Amino acid sequence: MLEYISIIITAIFVNNIVFAQFLGICPFIGVSRKLSSAVGMGAAVTFVMVLATTVTWLLQSYVLDPLGLAFMQTIVFILVIAALVQMLEIILKKIAPALYSALGVFLPLITTNCAVLGVAIEVIRKSYNLGESVVYAFAIAVGFTMAISIFAGIREQLTLASVPKAMKGVPIALICAGLLAMAFMGFSGIKIG
């Protein structure tokens, strides 16, 4: 149990996917203009990341490794993630049209989100079992959602602030992202267990 708590706290705070591992930066910058968009993207990433990590872990453990095809990992994982996102989009369109329209553009964006692929590869590299992999993927996605939501809140406040013309938009956003990353570095000394 302590091992799972350690995985959760480390994944969310210490090794935050955005601030420590620098994965998922494109949606972090691109979809963080409004808090509602950021939360929607975070929810979509959470669902896809957990599902993709589960499927890719099973493929690695029961297909690629036994057949000696571990060198095909990256290509297979990319194809699996793209297929999962497309299947999810079709299923949501049929079963839950309200949820499908709420997620809107976020689902196709997840296909190109390197954080999803990064987590799928990371759980294999760390030799996690299936339970640890799912917990890790969920915690990483929570950390991503937290990071993008905090950043969206800051960006919404920046629209009300008096920012020099040369710094408006992306420049001030990148400075704020750097400050957030430095703030999250404060968690790097946390040791559990």
Side-chain angles (χ1 to χ4, degrees):
M1 184 65 177
L2 188 60
E3 188 173 320
Y4 287 103
I5 292 170
S6 174
I7 289 172
I8 291 168
I9 291 174
T10 302
I12 293 173
F13 298 108
V14 179
N15 292 327
N16 186 284
I17 193 90
V18 176
F19 298 133
Q21 298 180 38
F22 306 112
L23 294 173
I25 298 294
C26 290
F28 178 73
I29 298 292
V31 188
S32 62
R33 288 190 182 100
K34 292 174 62 180
L35 187 57
S36 59
S37 299
V39 171
M41 182 64 167
V45 164
T46 301
F47 185 76
V48 171
M49 193 175 285
V50 170
L51 185 64
T53 300
T54 304
V55 171
T56 55
W57 187 92
L58 291 169
L59 272 173
Q60 182 76 32
S61 298
Y62 296 110
V63 177
L64 296 179
D65 286 345
L67 296 176
L69 298 172
F71 64 92
M72 298 284 294
Q73 178 189 60
T74 303
I75 244 355
V76 169
F77 285 13
I78 290 171
L79 292 173
V80 166
I81 291 166
L84 281 173
V85 170
Q86 291 303 311
M87 286 188 330
L88 180 63
E89 195 170 356
I90 292 167
I91 291 168
L92 283 178
K93 195 173 188 178
K94 295 278 186 193
I95 294 174
L99 181 59
Y100 172 76
S101 62
L103 290 175
V105 73
F106 302 129
L107 281 174
L109 283 176
I110 294 170
T111 305
T112 60
N113 189 344
C114 60
V116 178
L117 177 62
V119 169
I121 291 172
E122 189 72 10
V123 297
I124 303 302
R125 192 185 67 75
K126 290 185 175 193
S127 300
Y128 283 159
N129 63 35
L130 183 58
E132 292 168 338
S133 297
V134 171
V135 167
Y136 181 76
F138 180 75
I140 285 285
V142 167
F144 175 83
T145 303
M146 183 181 67
I148 198 170
S149 298
I150 291 170
F151 191 56
I154 290 171
R155 287 186 76 176
E156 282 185 356
Q157 291 297 313
L158 283 174
T159 60
L160 305 173
S162 176
V163 178
K165 187 176 180 183
M167 296 300 291
K168 284 190 183 226
V170 176
I172 194 70
L174 290 175
I175 289 170
C176 289
L179 291 171
L180 272 172
M182 287 174 43
F184 269 73
M185 283 178 61
F187 292 115
S188 63
I190 294 176
K191 298 268 190 234
I192 299 174

